[in-house]
Amino acid sequence: MTSIRFFFLSGFVAALFVLAPVGPASADEEGEINYRKSVMKAISGHMGAMANIIKGKTVNKGDLKSHADAMAGLSNMAGNVFPKGSDFGETGTKAAVWQKPEEFKSAMTSFQSAADGMAKAVSGGDMKAIGGAFGNLGKSCKNCHDTFREKKKK
Ligand code: HEC
């Protein structure tokens, strides 16, 4: 009796192993595109929030540093969201990203240093420097979008 029970149990356990998904889901191309868009949306969210603070439209001035630090972190993530093969389907990314890798890298690097510059300016606390750094940051978005992003939003 005991051994029969054991048989049933071990069969059940074995079945569980068969049904269990094998390891973590592997990254896929559509996933890369969705992730890229999410990172860009987060970047855009912090940009909008900082604009509101700098223009004095909210009492939440103390949040500026958190937004600027988040932007610096996101700019580093942005460097990894254009893997090869993520250039089809529902994406507004132009093939130029992979065809002109040097130019794209330089647009990415200017964005990353502009984001670092913004974080430093905010830590410094000088409003004039903050305004200038914010302007540079905005230019770095446009600089990349002009060449590497489709004009019409998909
Ligand atoms: C180095 C290039 C580069 C930089 C810098 C860059 N972007 Fe983008 N961005 C892109 C590309 C390419 C896309 C298209 C992504 C796609 O659809 O696959 C995009 C898409 C977007 C989108 C649309 C996301 C969606 O939901 O489809 C927003 C919003 C955006 N960027 C905002 C910004 C802002 C704000 C900045 C600057 C603070 C910025 N980006 C900096 C290349 C860049």
Side-chain angles (χ1 to χ4, degrees), residues 36-72:
R36 171 163 68 228
K37 288 180 179 174
S38 301
V39 168
M40 280 293 164
K41 272 183 211 151
I43 286 172
S44 171
H46 287 293
M47 202 63 186
M50 289 195 286
N52 281 311
I53 294 171
I54 291 167
K55 289 182 195 155
K57 308 236 177 208
T58 166
V59 293
N60 297 293
K61 295 189 188 79
D63 291 348
L64 189 58
K65 187 170 169 10
S66 298
H67 289 298
D69 289 346
M71 182 64 94

Side-chain angles (χ1 to χ4, degrees), residues 32-34 36-48 50 71 78 81-82 86 88 90-94 97-98 103-112 115 137-145 147-150 153-154:
E32 296 295 359
I33 292 170
N34 288 334
R36 171 163 68 228
K37 288 180 179 174
S38 301
V39 168
M40 280 293 164
K41 272 183 211 151
I43 286 172
S44 171
H46 287 293
M47 202 63 186
M50 289 195 286
M71 182 64 94
V81 299
F82 294 92
S86 62
F88 73 100
E90 289 293 301
T91 179
T93 302
K94 284 188 183 171
V97 166
W98 298 281
E103 208 180 308
F104 181 68
K105 199 175 172 199
S106 122
M108 187 61 78
T109 310
S110 344
F111 167 49
Q112 289 164 339
L137 185 56
K139 275 185 210 145
S140 77
C141 316
K142 189 177 181 305
N143 174 48
C144 185
H145 287 177
T147 313
F148 297 105
R149 184 185 173 195
E150 299 286 354
K153 178 134 177 26
K154 290 205 175 164

Side-chain angles (χ1 to χ4, degrees), residues 110-123:
S110 344
F111 167 49
Q112 289 164 339
S113 37
D116 284 347
M118 179 68 189
K120 281 193 189 104
V122 171
S123 296

